């Protein structure tokens, strides 16, 4: 039995948080999973892209996405581009959609891979690549605040860099939020704070959602093990069914959360970018500093 | 106590810090993300975007040509409808003309027939009159001859042929004068 796997830990947190390999933080579960996710993402997207790309046969078949995988990738990419970002970024959509797609797919694959109990599967198969089955592989890279912060900083640089490149003066004019001059002492600091709060909220939202969900799953699984062993026999196993069902429910919820969080991170990046670069909206309203307020909070 | 499940201990023990990690994890994340971004941009997003744009352009082009074709069809239809209307008008005129012609011809024929009938009637009348006159003349001649003979017998005297002829002629002239 591999139940002792979970019992090895002092608390569910131990099953969830990142750990250094051989006590060195140069490499940890998070970094291993990041690389793994990168490989999976590329293996998913690149073959699909070949089949979505225009063919060369000169027939109508050239314009069709061929195969299940290509259609899966295409339907999501197309939805993000046409339904989500086109209304925000207008004619600039295709210019920035690449990085937005990358955010979505990369975060999604990271989130989903985190739901695969890789360490536990390897332990059951008695494969122990790192010598200790709780270290080195498994877990979610996106539940590390360091990883989500890095992604949020990239998002921050992308949003503000793009806006500055597009309209340098306009970017700084934006900080006044179109308010009269006597309001500037209030508006400008608020806008500047808003600029930095946005990526902070992005990183914290993703981190907290992924960590929270995994802790619940680990806790409920811990109950399964505790009840089974604590009471033992038919009573213990019978009682353990309830937290097991709960685990399954939360696990499925986590699959949904994986998609939602990947989407929200990407969507908010696109939304913030659009507020910085698309100027066809009413300048009197206070865009920019209340995003964290009306952002979908999950 | 072995009954005490380890998971109940939710107090964060050392090493259970949810913010575990160092700047190395952030650097790794940034590098990995940028690598993924660059690779995908080159190998995936470009082709996908081109594919989607090609398809959009194709659909747009097809829609435009379909609209043009529909417009063309509409104008062609209008042309044909106009031609059809003209043809119908022409046909109507032809029928009208034919009807008028037919009426004219019928009237002509009727007049002609009428005049032929009138001529035939006149001719018949003339022939009948002639025949009647001839018959009357013969009748008078016969009657006169017979009357003379009867008169001669009555007078017991034989009239000679010249006398008889003179009496007949005289009677005839008298009859005709009366008749007229």
């Amino acid at each position: 039995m591999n139940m002792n796997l979970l019992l090895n830990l002092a608390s569910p947190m131990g099953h969830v948080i990142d750990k250094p390999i051989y006590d060195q933080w140069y490499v940890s579960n998070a970094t291993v999973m990041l690389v793994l996710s990168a490989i999976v993402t590329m293996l998913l997207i690149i073959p699909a892209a070949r089949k979505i790309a225009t063919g060369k046969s000169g027939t109508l078949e050239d314009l069709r996405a061929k195969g299940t995988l290509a259609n899966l990738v295409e339907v999501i990419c197309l939805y993000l581009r046409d339904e989500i970002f086109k209304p925000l970024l207008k004619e600039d959509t295709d210019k920035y959609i690449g990085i937005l797609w990358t955010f979505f797919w990369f975060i999604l694959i990271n989130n989903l891979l985190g739901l695969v109990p890789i360490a536990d599967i390897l332990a059951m198969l008695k494969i122990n690549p790192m010598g200790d089955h709780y270290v080195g592989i498994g877990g979610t890279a996106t539940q590390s605040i360091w990883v989500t912060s890095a992604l949020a900083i990239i998002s921050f640089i992308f949003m503000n860099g793009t806006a500055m490149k597009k309209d340098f003066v306009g970017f700084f004019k934006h900080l006044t939020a179109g308010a009269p001059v006597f309001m500037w002492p209030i508006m400008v600091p608020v806008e500047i704070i808003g600029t930095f709060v946005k990526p902070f909220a992005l990183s914290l939202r993703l981190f907290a959602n992924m960590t929270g969900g995994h802790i619940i799953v680990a806790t409920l699984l811990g109950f399964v093990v505790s009840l089974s062993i604590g009471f033992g026999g038919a009573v213990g196993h019978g009682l353990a069914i309830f937290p097991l069902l709960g685990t399954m429910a939360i696990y499925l919820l986590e699959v949904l959360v994986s998609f939602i969080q990947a989407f929200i991170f990407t969507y908010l990046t696109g939304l913030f970018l659009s507020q910085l670069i698309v100027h066809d909206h009413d300048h009197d309203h206070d865009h920019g500093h209340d995003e964290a307020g009306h952002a979908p909070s999950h | 106590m072995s009954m005490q499940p380890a998971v109940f201990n939710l107090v964060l023990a050392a090493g259970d810090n949810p913010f575990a990690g160092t700047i190395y994890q952030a650097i790794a994340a940034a590098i990995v993300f940028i690598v993924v971004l660059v690779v995908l941009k080159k190998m995936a997003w470009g082709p996908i975007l081109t594919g989607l744009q090609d398809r959009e352009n194709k659909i747009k082009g097809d829609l435009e040509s379909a609209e043009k074709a529909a417009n063309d069809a509409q104008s062609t239809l209008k042309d044909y409808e106009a031609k059809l209307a003209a043809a119908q008008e022409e046909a109507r005129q032809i029928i009208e003309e034919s009807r008028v012609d037919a009426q004219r011809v019928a009237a002509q024929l009727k007049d002609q027939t009428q005049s032929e009938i009138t001529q035939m009637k006149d001719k018949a009348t003339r022939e009948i009159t002639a025949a009647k006159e001839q018959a009357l003349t013969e009748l008078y001649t016969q009657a006169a001859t017979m009357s003379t003979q009867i008169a001669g017998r009555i007078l017991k005297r034989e009239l000679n042929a010249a006398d008889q002829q003179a009496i007949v002629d005289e009677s005839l002239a008298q009859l005709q004068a009366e008749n007229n």
Side-chain angles (χ1 to χ4, degrees), chain A residues 29 129 137 161 244 248 294:
Chain A
N29 283 36
I137 195 157
L244 188 64
M248 288 162 135
H294 66 58

Side-chain angles (χ1 to χ4, degrees), chain A residues 204-269:
Chain A
L204 211 60
R205 182 184 298 110
L206 182 56
F207 154 76
N209 273 286
M210 299 321 291
T211 307
H214 284 244
I215 289 174
I216 295 173
V217 170
T219 307
L220 286 170
L221 272 178
F223 286 152
V224 174
V225 176
S226 309
L227 288 167
S228 299
I229 292 175
F231 288 97
V235 176
H237 287 89
L239 287 172
I241 287 172
F242 298 105
L244 188 64
L245 290 175
T247 310
M248 288 162 135
I250 297 292
Y251 186 91
L252 291 176
L253 182 68
E254 281 304 297
V255 175
L256 179 66
V257 169
S258 296
F259 278 89
I260 291 172
Q261 289 307 318
F263 173 75
I264 287 179
F265 192 102
T266 314
Y267 171 67
L268 290 180
T269 300

Side-chain angles (χ1 to χ4, degrees), chain A:
Chain A
M1 290 296 287
N2 291 293
M3 278 183 172
N4 59 344
L5 273 178
L6 285 153
L7 288 184
N8 283 346
L9 299 162
S11 83
M13 284 298 290
H15 194 67
V16 170
I17 57 163
D18 197 12
K19 288 187 179 55
I21 293 176
Y22 305 120
D23 293 329
Q24 295 299 317
W25 277 106
Y26 299 112
V27 187
S28 71
N29 283 36
T31 49
V32 171
M33 292 309 288
L34 276 169
V35 174
L36 194 63
S37 301
I39 292 167
V40 172
T41 309
M42 290 192 276
L43 285 180
L44 174 74
I45 304 292
I46 294 171
R50 294 236 166 94
K51 293 183 172 174
I52 297 169
T54 313
K56 292 181 174 57
S57 68
T59 62
L60 278 179
E61 281 294 294
D62 288 351
L63 299 166
R64 198 168 66 82
K66 295 151 210 83
T68 314
L69 182 71
N71 275 293
L72 173 79
V73 171
E74 186 195 292
V75 76
I76 293 176
C77 286
L78 201 59
Y79 173 75
L80 289 174
R81 172 173 172 258
D82 288 359
E83 306 294 326
I84 305 300
F85 292 121
K86 240 188 198 143
L88 293 174
L89 298 170
K90 310 276 170 8
E91 67 276 9
D92 285 338
T93 308
D94 286 355
K95 219 151 87 190
Y96 308 122
I97 197 72
I99 190 169
L100 295 169
W101 277 342
T102 313
F103 270 126
F104 178 80
W105 285 103
F106 185 63
I107 294 171
L108 176 68
I109 301 293
N110 264 300
N111 293 352
L112 289 177
L113 272 185
L115 290 172
V116 182
I118 299 174
D120 309 73
I121 290 168
L122 290 177
M124 280 173 89
L125 298 171
K126 305 231 185 301
I127 300 166
N128 234 344
M130 303 292 177
D132 176 348
H133 41 245
Y134 278 110
V135 167
I137 195 157
T140 318
T142 41
Q143 70 176 18
S144 164
I145 187 76
W146 297 92
V147 172
T148 59
S149 299
L151 292 173
I153 288 167
I154 291 170
S155 166
F156 172 80
I157 295 169
F158 162 63
M159 294 185 291
N160 293 293
T162 306
M164 278 193 209
K165 201 174 138 201
K166 203 169 159 135
D167 184 1
F168 193 78
V169 179
F171 177 80
F172 289 100
K173 255 192 201 160
H174 234 269
L175 294 177
T176 65
V181 179
F182 64 90
M183 289 295 285
W184 286 9
I186 298 169
M187 291 314 295
V188 175
V190 166
E191 287 286 341
I192 290 172
I193 291 167
T195 307
F196 289 97
V197 163
K198 284 176 208 167
F200 181 73
L202 280 181
S203 85
L204 211 60
R205 182 184 298 110
L206 182 56
F207 154 76
N209 273 286
M210 299 321 291
T211 307
H214 284 244
I215 289 174
I216 295 173
V217 170
T219 307
L220 286 170
L221 272 178
F223 286 152
V224 174
V225 176
S226 309
L227 288 167
S228 299
I229 292 175
F231 288 97
V235 176
H237 287 89
L239 287 172
I241 287 172
F242 298 105
L244 188 64
L245 290 175
T247 310
M248 288 162 135
I250 297 292
Y251 186 91
L252 291 176
L253 182 68
E254 281 304 297
V255 175
L256 179 66
V257 169
S258 296
F259 278 89
I260 291 172
Q261 289 307 318
F263 173 75
I264 287 179
F265 192 102
T266 314
Y267 171 67
L268 290 180
T269 300
L271 179 69
F272 297 155
L273 176 68
S274 76
Q275 289 169 338
L276 288 171
I277 64 168
V278 180
H279 292 285
D280 61 359
H281 54 310
D282 181 12
H283 258 263
D284 292 338
H285 89 124
D286 50 353
H287 48 261
H289 54 78
D290 63 344
E291 282 79 6
H294 66 58
S297 52
H298 176 81

